[in-house]
Amino acid sequence: MIKVTLLSHTPEPEKLVASAAKLCYSNASIEQIGANLTPEKVDKFLNMLVDLGHESPIEHICFTFGIEGVSRTLLAQITRHRIASFSVKSQRYVKEGSFSFVVPPEIEKNEETKALFLKTMEADQKAYDQLSEILFEKHLKELTAQGIPEKTAKSKAEKMAIEDARFVLPNACDTSMVVTMNARSLLNFFRLRCCSRAQWEIRELATKMLALVKQAAPTIFRYAGPGCVNAPCPEGKMSCGKKQEMMDYFRNL
Ligand SMILES: Cc1cc2nc3c(=O)[nH]c(=O)nc-3n(C[C@H](O)[C@H](O)[C@H](O)COP(=O)(O)OP(=O)(O)OC[C@H]3O[C@@H](n4cnc5c(N)ncnc54)[C@H](O)[C@@H]3O)c2cc1C
């Protein structure tokens, strides 16, 4: 199951954005930009930015998430978002003793597909273990022959073995990561990935991330969500036709 934690974010995120906006539109000095920024004034500045479409001030605030229980399929999708920073559990250095995996709900709810899926995972695990073992023995022999001390040779041989054995691991393989995005990039991420046309796993993750940032910066993320939440649906002929339902859901998230 997907688990997302908001590990950290810029302190007083909305006040910082309002301060940056105030600098743009007044002759206040850096020392003065944070002064007298009451919650009402912060709200006013933020709403003005939204109305003007002036998005760069929201780049100053960042949110860092800890994400667990997602598949390598999701990893391939989320890392396409270039305006973000990622630290991902390495399959190169961390041996998949008995790898965990994500079962798509549609596969899980059907006995036949579930059985086939689990059988495939079992076979993958067996192949990974066998490859790791065979490669480990080969590398250990070669490294020992080069005169490398046994302890170092074993550690090197294991690393070399799992580096290649991981090629048989499936897209379903579970992973975890730490992800940081600024608010502007997050709005783009939510626009694309909360949409009902996005793939189910990343949509579920994006929706959980949105619920967390809404607590930390409610005004900035007030209208966040798929493109249809505050504008005509951008999907054209591919639209799901559920604009009102989506608006209600995401505005009340
Ligand atoms: C429903 C769906 C289906 C998809 N299907 C596919 C698919 O079949 N194949 C596939 O390869 N990808 C696919 N993608 C991925 C998609 O093309 C994007 O790579 C991904 O969503 C990242 O979005 P982004 O570029 O807006 O985000 P980011 O990389 O975070 O970029 C944010 C914004 O910065 C700007 N930007 C960033 N880099 C550049 C640049 N080099 N030049 C100009 N502007 C830039 C753009 O305005 C961009 O929107 C799909 C995405 C979705 C949501």
Side-chain angles (χ1 to χ4, degrees):
M1 201 182 101
I2 298 178
K3 187 175 170 209
V4 196
T5 311
L6 181 57
L7 294 174
S8 175
H9 62 74
T10 307
E12 297 191 88
E14 299 198 322
K15 189 173 174 197
L16 180 66
V17 173
S19 303
K22 187 174 162 188
L23 184 76
C24 298
Y25 300 112
S26 75
N27 55 9
S29 67
I30 293 292
E31 264 182 357
Q32 293 164 333
I33 53 173
N36 305 320
L37 271 180
T38 58
E40 294 71 35
K41 284 188 180 164
V42 167
D43 208 48
K44 200 176 134 209
F45 271 117
L46 297 181
N47 284 317
M48 181 183 74
L49 294 179
V50 173
D51 290 346
L52 292 172
H54 182 179
E55 289 195 326
S56 61
I58 66 169
E59 292 171 15
H60 297 301
I61 57 168
C62 290
F63 298 80
T64 300
F65 304 87
I67 300 171
E68 296 167 285
V70 293
S71 70
R72 303 280 300 190
T73 302
L74 181 140
L75 177 65
Q77 296 179 76
I78 196 169
T79 48
R80 295 299 302 280
H81 290 267
R82 293 157 288 185
I83 319 296
S85 306
F86 300 95
S87 300
V88 183
K89 180 181 159 190
S90 171
Q91 285 185 332
R92 196 175 166 206
Y93 297 105
V94 183
K95 190 171 183 197
E96 294 286 358
S98 174
F99 72 81
S100 305
F101 49 84
V102 174
V103 187
E106 286 302 316
I107 291 182
E108 174 105 60
K109 67 188 183 197
N110 175 298
E111 284 307 316
E112 192 183 358
T113 51
K114 188 178 168 186
L116 178 58
F117 190 87
L118 295 180
K119 201 170 127 191
T120 310
M121 294 301 112
E122 211 176 292
D124 277 350
Q125 180 74 63
K126 217 179 210 170
Y128 176 79
D129 291 344
Q130 279 177 358
L131 283 169
S132 304
E133 206 180 306
I134 296 166
L135 291 169
F136 173 77
E137 292 303 334
K138 175 189 172 289
H139 292 310
L140 183 61
K141 211 167 145 188
E142 287 168 2
L143 292 166
T144 314
Q146 288 166 26
I148 294 171
E150 195 188 343
K151 198 173 165 210
T152 314
K154 275 187 173 167
S155 156
K156 274 192 171 187
E158 170 150 315
K159 186 175 157 282
M160 289 162 83
I162 62 175
E163 192 171 272
D164 287 338
R166 70 186 163 142
F167 276 67
V168 294
L169 291 173
N171 276 334
C173 206
D174 169 290
T175 192
S176 47
M177 67 193 90
V178 171
V179 179
T180 301
M181 288 192 206
N182 68 47
R184 187 179 190 181
S185 188
L186 274 171
L187 286 178
N188 178 55
F189 177 72
F190 296 140
R191 226 174 351 253
L192 296 169
R193 304 299 183 173
C194 290
C195 173
S196 64
R197 286 200 57 233
Q199 184 258 350
W200 64 268
E201 191 183 19
I202 198 162
R203 191 171 70 239
E204 193 180 323
L205 171 69
T207 307
K208 286 185 173 190
M209 288 165 68
L210 176 52
L212 289 171
V213 296
K214 270 196 169 197
Q215 289 171 29
T219 307
I220 287 172
F221 293 105
R222 184 180 296 154
Y223 302 117
C228 64
V229 166
N230 59 358
C233 170
E235 298 297 324
K237 279 194 283 188
M238 312 291 270
S239 174
C240 67
K242 295 181 184 162
K243 181 178 166 64
Q244 191 56 50
E245 202 180 303
M246 298 297 261
M247 279 172 67
D248 293 344
Y249 180 79
F250 283 98
R251 289 198 178 177
N252 294 311
L253 190 67

Coordinates of all heavy atoms in Angstrom, one line a residue, residues 105-173:
P105 N -4.8 -3.5 -8.5 CA -6.1 -4.0 -8.0 C -6.9 -4.8 -9.0 O -7.5 -5.8 -8.6 CB -6.8 -2.6 -7.7 CG -5.7 -1.6 -7.6 CD -4.5 -2.1 -8.4
E106 N -6.8 -4.5 -10.3 CA -7.6 -5.3 -11.3 C -7.0 -6.7 -11.4 O -7.8 -7.6 -11.7 CB -7.5 -4.6 -12.7 CG -8.3 -3.4 -12.8 CD -9.8 -3.6 -12.5 OE1 -10.4 -4.6 -13.0 OE2 -10.4 -2.8 -11.8
I107 N -5.8 -6.9 -11.1 CA -5.2 -8.3 -11.1 C -5.5 -9.0 -9.8 O -5.9 -10.1 -9.8 CB -3.7 -8.2 -11.3 CG1 -3.4 -7.7 -12.8 CG2 -3.0 -9.5 -11.0 CD1 -1.9 -7.6 -13.2
E108 N -5.5 -8.2 -8.7 CA -5.7 -8.7 -7.4 C -7.1 -9.3 -7.2 O -7.4 -10.3 -6.6 CB -5.5 -7.6 -6.4 CG -5.9 -8.0 -4.9 CD -4.7 -8.2 -4.1 OE1 -3.9 -7.3 -3.9 OE2 -4.5 -9.3 -3.5
K109 N -8.1 -8.6 -7.9 CA -9.5 -9.0 -7.6 C -10.0 -10.2 -8.4 O -11.1 -10.7 -8.3 CB -10.5 -7.8 -7.7 CG -10.7 -7.2 -9.0 CD -11.5 -5.9 -8.8 CE -11.8 -5.2 -10.1 NZ -12.2 -3.9 -10.0
N110 N -9.1 -10.7 -9.3 CA -9.5 -11.9 -10.2 C -8.6 -13.0 -9.8 O -7.4 -12.9 -9.9 CB -9.4 -11.5 -11.6 CG -9.6 -12.6 -12.6 OD1 -8.9 -13.6 -12.6 ND2 -10.6 -12.4 -13.4
E111 N -9.2 -14.1 -9.4 CA -8.4 -15.3 -8.9 C -7.4 -15.8 -9.9 O -6.3 -16.1 -9.6 CB -9.4 -16.5 -8.6 CG -10.2 -16.3 -7.3 CD -9.2 -16.0 -6.1 OE1 -8.2 -16.7 -6.0 OE2 -9.6 -15.1 -5.3
E112 N -7.8 -15.8 -11.2 CA -7.0 -16.4 -12.2 C -5.7 -15.5 -12.5 O -4.6 -15.9 -12.5 CB -7.8 -16.6 -13.5 CG -7.0 -17.4 -14.6 CD -7.8 -17.5 -15.9 OE1 -8.9 -16.9 -15.9 OE2 -7.3 -18.1 -16.8
T113 N -6.0 -14.2 -12.6 CA -4.9 -13.2 -12.9 C -4.0 -13.1 -11.7 O -2.8 -13.0 -11.8 CB -5.4 -11.8 -13.3 OG1 -6.4 -11.4 -12.3 CG2 -6.1 -11.8 -14.7
K114 N -4.6 -13.2 -10.5 CA -3.8 -13.0 -9.3 C -2.9 -14.2 -9.1 O -1.7 -14.1 -8.8 CB -4.8 -13.0 -8.0 CG -4.0 -12.7 -6.8 CD -5.0 -12.6 -5.6 CE -4.3 -12.6 -4.3 NZ -5.2 -12.6 -3.2
A115 N -3.4 -15.4 -9.4 CA -2.5 -16.6 -9.3 C -1.4 -16.6 -10.3 O -0.2 -16.9 -10.0 CB -3.4 -17.9 -9.6
L116 N -1.7 -16.1 -11.5 CA -0.6 -16.0 -12.6 C 0.4 -15.0 -12.2 O 1.6 -15.2 -12.3 CB -1.3 -15.7 -13.9 CG -0.3 -15.5 -15.1 CD1 0.5 -16.7 -15.4 CD2 -1.1 -15.1 -16.4
F117 N -0.1 -13.9 -11.6 CA 0.8 -12.8 -11.2 C 1.8 -13.3 -10.1 O 3.0 -13.1 -10.2 CB 0.0 -11.6 -10.7 CG 0.8 -10.4 -10.5 CD1 1.0 -9.5 -11.5 CD2 1.3 -10.1 -9.2 CE1 1.7 -8.3 -11.3 CE2 2.0 -8.9 -9.0 CZ 2.2 -8.0 -10.0
L118 N 1.2 -14.0 -9.1 CA 2.0 -14.4 -8.0 C 3.0 -15.5 -8.4 O 4.2 -15.5 -7.9 CB 1.1 -15.0 -6.8 CG 0.2 -13.9 -6.2 CD1 -0.7 -14.5 -5.1 CD2 1.0 -12.7 -5.6
K119 N 2.6 -16.3 -9.3 CA 3.5 -17.4 -9.8 C 4.7 -16.7 -10.6 O 5.8 -17.1 -10.4 CB 2.7 -18.3 -10.8 CG 3.3 -19.6 -11.1 CD 2.3 -20.5 -11.8 CE 3.1 -21.0 -13.1 NZ 2.2 -21.7 -14.0
T120 N 4.4 -15.7 -11.3 CA 5.5 -15.0 -12.0 C 6.4 -14.3 -11.1 O 7.6 -14.3 -11.3 CB 4.8 -13.9 -13.0 OG1 3.8 -14.5 -13.7 CG2 5.9 -13.3 -13.9
M121 N 5.9 -13.7 -10.0 CA 6.8 -13.0 -9.0 C 7.7 -14.1 -8.4 O 8.9 -13.8 -8.1 CB 5.9 -12.4 -7.9 CG 5.1 -11.2 -8.4 SD 6.1 -9.8 -9.1 CE 5.5 -10.0 -10.8
E122 N 7.1 -15.3 -8.1 CA 7.9 -16.3 -7.5 C 9.0 -16.8 -8.4 O 10.2 -17.0 -7.9 CB 6.9 -17.5 -7.2 CG 7.3 -18.3 -6.0 CD 6.3 -19.4 -5.8 OE1 5.1 -19.1 -5.4 OE2 6.6 -20.6 -6.0
A123 N 8.7 -16.9 -9.7 CA 9.7 -17.3 -10.6 C 10.8 -16.3 -10.8 O 12.0 -16.6 -10.9 CB 9.0 -17.6 -12.0
D124 N 10.4 -15.0 -10.7 CA 11.4 -13.9 -10.8 C 12.3 -13.9 -9.6 O 13.5 -13.7 -9.8 CB 10.6 -12.5 -10.8 CG 10.1 -12.1 -12.2 OD1 10.5 -12.8 -13.2 OD2 9.3 -11.2 -12.3
Q125 N 11.7 -14.2 -8.5 CA 12.6 -14.2 -7.3 C 13.6 -15.3 -7.4 O 14.8 -15.2 -7.0 CB 11.7 -14.4 -6.0 CG 12.4 -14.5 -4.7 CD 12.9 -13.1 -4.2 OE1 12.1 -12.2 -4.0 NE2 14.2 -13.0 -4.2
K126 N 13.1 -16.5 -7.8 CA 14.0 -17.7 -8.0 C 15.1 -17.4 -8.9 O 16.3 -17.6 -8.7 CB 13.1 -18.8 -8.5 CG 13.5 -20.2 -7.9 CD 12.6 -21.2 -8.5 CE 12.3 -22.3 -7.5 NZ 11.3 -23.2 -8.0
A127 N 14.8 -16.8 -10.1 CA 15.8 -16.4 -11.1 C 16.8 -15.5 -10.5 O 18.0 -15.6 -10.7 CB 15.1 -15.9 -12.3
Y128 N 16.3 -14.5 -9.8 CA 17.2 -13.4 -9.2 C 18.1 -14.1 -8.2 O 19.4 -13.8 -8.2 CB 16.3 -12.4 -8.5 CG 17.1 -11.3 -7.7 CD1 17.7 -10.3 -8.4 CD2 17.2 -11.4 -6.3 CE1 18.4 -9.3 -7.7 CE2 18.0 -10.4 -5.7 CZ 18.5 -9.3 -6.4 OH 19.2 -8.4 -5.7
D129 N 17.6 -15.0 -7.3 CA 18.4 -15.6 -6.3 C 19.5 -16.5 -7.0 O 20.7 -16.5 -6.6 CB 17.6 -16.5 -5.4 CG 16.7 -15.6 -4.5 OD1 16.9 -14.4 -4.4 OD2 15.7 -16.2 -3.9
Q130 N 19.1 -17.3 -8.0 CA 20.0 -18.2 -8.7 C 21.1 -17.4 -9.4 O 22.3 -17.7 -9.3 CB 19.3 -19.0 -9.7 CG 18.6 -20.2 -9.1 CD 17.8 -21.1 -10.1 OE1 17.7 -20.7 -11.3 NE2 17.2 -22.1 -9.6
L131 N 20.7 -16.3 -10.1 CA 21.7 -15.5 -10.8 C 22.7 -14.9 -9.9 O 23.9 -14.8 -10.1 CB 21.0 -14.4 -11.6 CG 20.3 -14.8 -12.9 CD1 19.4 -13.7 -13.5 CD2 21.4 -15.2 -14.0
S132 N 22.1 -14.3 -8.7 CA 23.0 -13.7 -7.7 C 24.0 -14.7 -7.2 O 25.2 -14.4 -7.1 CB 22.2 -13.2 -6.5 OG 21.2 -12.4 -6.9
E133 N 23.5 -15.9 -7.0 CA 24.4 -16.9 -6.4 C 25.5 -17.3 -7.4 O 26.7 -17.4 -7.1 CB 23.6 -18.2 -6.1 CG 24.2 -19.0 -4.9 CD 23.2 -20.2 -4.7 OE1 22.0 -19.9 -4.4 OE2 23.7 -21.3 -4.7
I134 N 25.1 -17.6 -8.6 CA 26.1 -18.1 -9.7 C 27.1 -17.0 -9.9 O 28.3 -17.2 -10.0 CB 25.4 -18.5 -11.0 CG1 24.4 -19.7 -10.8 CG2 26.4 -18.7 -12.1 CD1 23.4 -19.9 -11.9
L135 N 26.6 -15.7 -10.1 CA 27.5 -14.6 -10.4 C 28.4 -14.3 -9.2 O 29.6 -14.0 -9.4 CB 26.7 -13.3 -10.7 CG 26.0 -13.4 -12.1 CD1 25.0 -12.2 -12.2 CD2 26.9 -13.4 -13.3
F136 N 27.9 -14.4 -8.0 CA 28.7 -14.2 -6.8 C 29.9 -15.2 -6.8 O 31.0 -14.7 -6.6 CB 27.8 -14.4 -5.5 CG 28.6 -14.3 -4.3 CD1 29.0 -13.1 -3.7 CD2 28.9 -15.5 -3.6 CE1 29.8 -13.0 -2.6 CE2 29.7 -15.4 -2.4 CZ 30.1 -14.2 -1.9
E137 N 29.6 -16.5 -7.0 CA 30.7 -17.5 -6.9 C 31.7 -17.1 -8.0 O 32.9 -17.2 -7.7 CB 30.1 -18.9 -7.2 CG 29.2 -19.4 -6.0 CD 29.9 -19.4 -4.7 OE1 31.2 -19.5 -4.6 OE2 29.2 -19.3 -3.6
K138 N 31.3 -16.8 -9.2 CA 32.2 -16.5 -10.3 C 33.1 -15.3 -10.0 O 34.3 -15.4 -10.1 CB 31.4 -16.2 -11.6 CG 32.2 -15.8 -12.8 CD 31.3 -15.3 -13.9 CE 32.1 -14.6 -15.0 NZ 32.7 -13.3 -14.7
H139 N 32.5 -14.2 -9.5 CA 33.3 -13.0 -9.2 C 34.2 -13.2 -8.0 O 35.3 -12.8 -8.0 CB 32.3 -11.8 -8.9 CG 31.6 -11.4 -10.1 ND1 32.2 -11.1 -11.3 CD2 30.2 -11.1 -10.3 CE1 31.2 -10.7 -12.2 NE2 30.1 -10.7 -11.6
L140 N 33.7 -14.0 -7.0 CA 34.5 -14.2 -5.8 C 35.8 -15.0 -6.2 O 36.9 -14.6 -5.8 CB 33.7 -15.0 -4.8 CG 34.4 -15.3 -3.5 CD1 34.8 -14.0 -2.8 CD2 33.6 -16.2 -2.6
K141 N 35.6 -16.0 -7.1 CA 36.8 -16.8 -7.5 C 37.8 -15.9 -8.2 O 39.0 -15.9 -8.0 CB 36.3 -17.8 -8.5 CG 37.1 -19.1 -8.5 CD 36.3 -20.2 -9.3 CE 37.2 -21.1 -10.0 NZ 36.5 -22.0 -10.9
E142 N 37.3 -15.0 -9.1 CA 38.2 -14.2 -9.9 C 38.9 -13.1 -9.0 O 40.1 -12.9 -9.1 CB 37.4 -13.4 -11.0 CG 37.0 -14.3 -12.1 CD 36.0 -13.7 -13.1 OE1 35.6 -12.5 -12.9 OE2 35.6 -14.4 -14.0
L143 N 38.1 -12.6 -8.1 CA 38.7 -11.5 -7.2 C 39.7 -12.1 -6.2 O 40.8 -11.6 -6.0 CB 37.6 -10.8 -6.4 CG 36.7 -9.9 -7.3 CD1 35.4 -9.6 -6.5 CD2 37.4 -8.7 -7.7
T144 N 39.4 -13.3 -5.7 CA 40.4 -14.0 -4.8 C 41.7 -14.3 -5.6 O 42.8 -14.2 -5.0 CB 39.7 -15.3 -4.2 OG1 38.4 -15.0 -3.8 CG2 40.5 -15.8 -3.0
A145 N 41.5 -14.8 -6.8 CA 42.7 -15.1 -7.6 C 43.6 -13.9 -7.9 O 44.8 -14.0 -8.1 CB 42.2 -15.7 -9.0
Q146 N 42.9 -12.7 -7.8 CA 43.7 -11.5 -8.0 C 44.4 -11.1 -6.7 O 45.1 -10.0 -6.6 CB 42.8 -10.3 -8.4 CG 42.3 -10.4 -9.9 CD 41.1 -9.5 -10.1 OE1 41.0 -8.4 -9.5 NE2 40.2 -9.8 -11.0
G147 N 44.2 -11.9 -5.7 CA 44.9 -11.6 -4.4 C 44.1 -10.6 -3.5 O 44.7 -10.2 -2.5
I148 N 42.9 -10.4 -3.8 CA 42.1 -9.5 -3.0 C 41.7 -10.2 -1.7 O 41.2 -11.4 -1.8 CB 40.8 -8.9 -3.7 CG1 41.3 -8.1 -4.9 CG2 39.9 -8.2 -2.8 CD1 40.3 -7.6 -5.9
P149 N 41.8 -9.6 -0.5 CA 41.5 -10.3 0.8 C 40.0 -10.8 0.7 O 39.2 -10.1 0.2 CB 41.7 -9.2 1.8 CG 42.6 -8.2 1.2 CD 42.3 -8.3 -0.3
E150 N 39.8 -11.9 1.4 CA 38.5 -12.6 1.3 C 37.3 -11.7 1.7 O 36.3 -11.7 0.9 CB 38.5 -13.8 2.2 CG 37.3 -14.8 1.9 CD 37.2 -15.9 2.9 OE1 38.1 -16.1 3.7 OE2 36.1 -16.5 3.0
K151 N 37.4 -10.9 2.7 CA 36.3 -10.1 3.2 C 35.9 -9.0 2.1 O 34.8 -8.9 1.7 CB 36.6 -9.4 4.5 CG 35.4 -8.9 5.2 CD 35.8 -8.4 6.6 CE 34.6 -7.5 7.1 NZ 35.0 -6.5 8.0
T152 N 37.0 -8.4 1.6 CA 36.7 -7.4 0.5 C 36.2 -8.0 -0.7 O 35.3 -7.5 -1.4 CB 38.1 -6.6 0.2 OG1 38.7 -6.3 1.5 CG2 37.9 -5.4 -0.6
A153 N 36.8 -9.2 -1.1 CA 36.4 -9.9 -2.3 C 34.9 -10.3 -2.2 O 34.2 -10.1 -3.2 CB 37.3 -11.1 -2.5
K154 N 34.5 -10.7 -1.0 CA 33.1 -11.2 -0.9 C 32.1 -10.0 -1.1 O 31.1 -10.1 -1.7 CB 32.8 -11.8 0.5 CG 33.2 -13.3 0.6 CD 32.8 -13.8 1.9 CE 33.0 -15.4 1.8 NZ 33.0 -16.0 3.2
S155 N 32.5 -8.8 -0.4 CA 31.7 -7.7 -0.5 C 31.6 -7.1 -2.0 O 30.5 -6.8 -2.5 CB 32.2 -6.6 0.4 OG 31.9 -5.3 0.1
K156 N 32.7 -7.1 -2.6 CA 32.8 -6.7 -4.1 C 32.0 -7.7 -5.0 O 31.2 -7.2 -5.8 CB 34.2 -6.7 -4.6 CG 34.9 -5.4 -4.2 CD 36.2 -5.3 -5.0 CE 36.9 -4.0 -4.9 NZ 38.0 -3.7 -5.7
A157 N 32.2 -9.0 -4.7 CA 31.5 -10.0 -5.5 C 30.0 -9.9 -5.4 O 29.3 -10.0 -6.4 CB 32.0 -11.4 -5.1
E158 N 29.5 -9.6 -4.2 CA 28.1 -9.5 -4.0 C 27.5 -8.3 -4.8 O 26.5 -8.4 -5.4 CB 27.7 -9.4 -2.5 CG 26.3 -9.0 -2.3 CD 25.6 -9.5 -1.1 OE1 25.8 -10.7 -0.7 OE2 24.9 -8.8 -0.5
K159 N 28.2 -7.2 -4.7 CA 27.8 -6.0 -5.3 C 27.7 -6.2 -6.9 O 26.8 -5.9 -7.5 CB 28.7 -4.8 -5.0 CG 28.3 -3.5 -5.5 CD 29.1 -2.4 -5.1 CE 29.0 -1.2 -6.0 NZ 29.8 -1.3 -7.2
M160 N 28.8 -6.8 -7.4 CA 28.9 -7.1 -8.8 C 27.7 -8.1 -9.3 O 27.1 -7.9 -10.3 CB 30.2 -7.7 -9.2 CG 31.4 -6.7 -9.1 SD 33.0 -7.5 -9.1 CE 33.3 -7.8 -10.8
A161 N 27.5 -9.0 -8.4 CA 26.4 -10.0 -8.7 C 25.0 -9.4 -8.8 O 24.3 -9.6 -9.7 CB 26.5 -11.2 -7.7
I162 N 24.7 -8.6 -7.7 CA 23.3 -8.1 -7.7 C 23.1 -7.0 -8.8 O 22.0 -6.8 -9.2 CB 22.9 -7.6 -6.3 CG1 23.7 -6.5 -5.8 CG2 22.8 -8.8 -5.3 CD1 23.2 -6.0 -4.4
E163 N 24.2 -6.4 -9.1 CA 24.1 -5.3 -10.2 C 23.6 -5.9 -11.5 O 22.8 -5.3 -12.2 CB 25.6 -4.8 -10.4 CG 25.6 -3.5 -11.2 CD 27.1 -3.0 -11.2 OE1 27.3 -2.2 -10.3 OE2 27.8 -3.3 -12.1
D164 N 24.0 -7.2 -11.8 CA 23.5 -7.8 -13.0 C 22.2 -8.6 -12.8 O 21.3 -8.6 -13.6 CB 24.5 -8.7 -13.6 CG 25.6 -7.9 -14.3 OD1 25.4 -6.7 -14.6 OD2 26.8 -8.4 -14.4
A165 N 22.1 -9.3 -11.6 CA 20.9 -10.1 -11.3 C 19.6 -9.3 -11.3 O 18.6 -9.8 -11.7 CB 21.1 -10.8 -10.0
R166 N 19.7 -8.0 -10.9 CA 18.5 -7.2 -10.8 C 17.8 -7.0 -12.2 O 16.7 -6.5 -12.2 CB 18.9 -5.8 -10.2 CG 19.7 -4.9 -11.1 CD 20.1 -3.7 -10.5 NE 21.2 -3.1 -11.2 CZ 21.4 -1.8 -11.4 NH1 20.5 -0.9 -10.9 NH2 22.3 -1.3 -12.1
F167 N 18.5 -7.3 -13.3 CA 17.8 -7.2 -14.6 C 16.6 -8.0 -14.7 O 15.7 -7.8 -15.6 CB 18.8 -7.5 -15.7 CG 19.7 -6.3 -16.1 CD1 20.6 -5.8 -15.2 CD2 19.5 -5.6 -17.3 CE1 21.4 -4.7 -15.5 CE2 20.3 -4.5 -17.6 CZ 21.3 -4.0 -16.7
V168 N 16.5 -9.1 -13.9 CA 15.3 -9.9 -14.0 C 14.1 -9.4 -13.1 O 13.0 -10.0 -13.1 CB 15.5 -11.4 -13.7 CG1 16.4 -12.0 -14.8 CG2 16.1 -11.6 -12.3
L169 N 14.4 -8.4 -12.3 CA 13.4 -8.0 -11.4 C 12.3 -7.3 -12.1 O 12.5 -6.6 -13.1 CB 14.0 -7.0 -10.3 CG 14.9 -7.7 -9.3 CD1 15.6 -6.7 -8.4 CD2 14.1 -8.8 -8.4
P170 N 11.0 -7.4 -11.7 CA 9.9 -6.9 -12.5 C 9.6 -5.4 -12.2 O 10.0 -4.9 -11.2 CB 8.7 -7.8 -12.0 CG 9.1 -8.1 -10.6 CD 10.6 -8.2 -10.6
N171 N 8.8 -4.8 -13.1 CA 8.3 -3.5 -12.9 C 7.5 -3.4 -11.6 O 7.3 -2.3 -11.0 CB 7.4 -3.0 -14.0 CG 8.2 -2.5 -15.2 OD1 9.3 -2.0 -15.0 ND2 7.6 -2.6 -16.4
A172 N 6.9 -4.5 -11.2 CA 6.0 -4.5 -10.0 C 6.8 -4.4 -8.7 O 6.3 -4.1 -7.7 CB 5.3 -5.9 -9.9
C173 N 8.1 -4.6 -8.8 CA 9.0 -4.5 -7.6 C 8.8 -3.2 -6.8 O 8.8 -2.2 -7.4 CB 10.4 -4.6 -8.1 SG 11.5 -5.3 -6.9

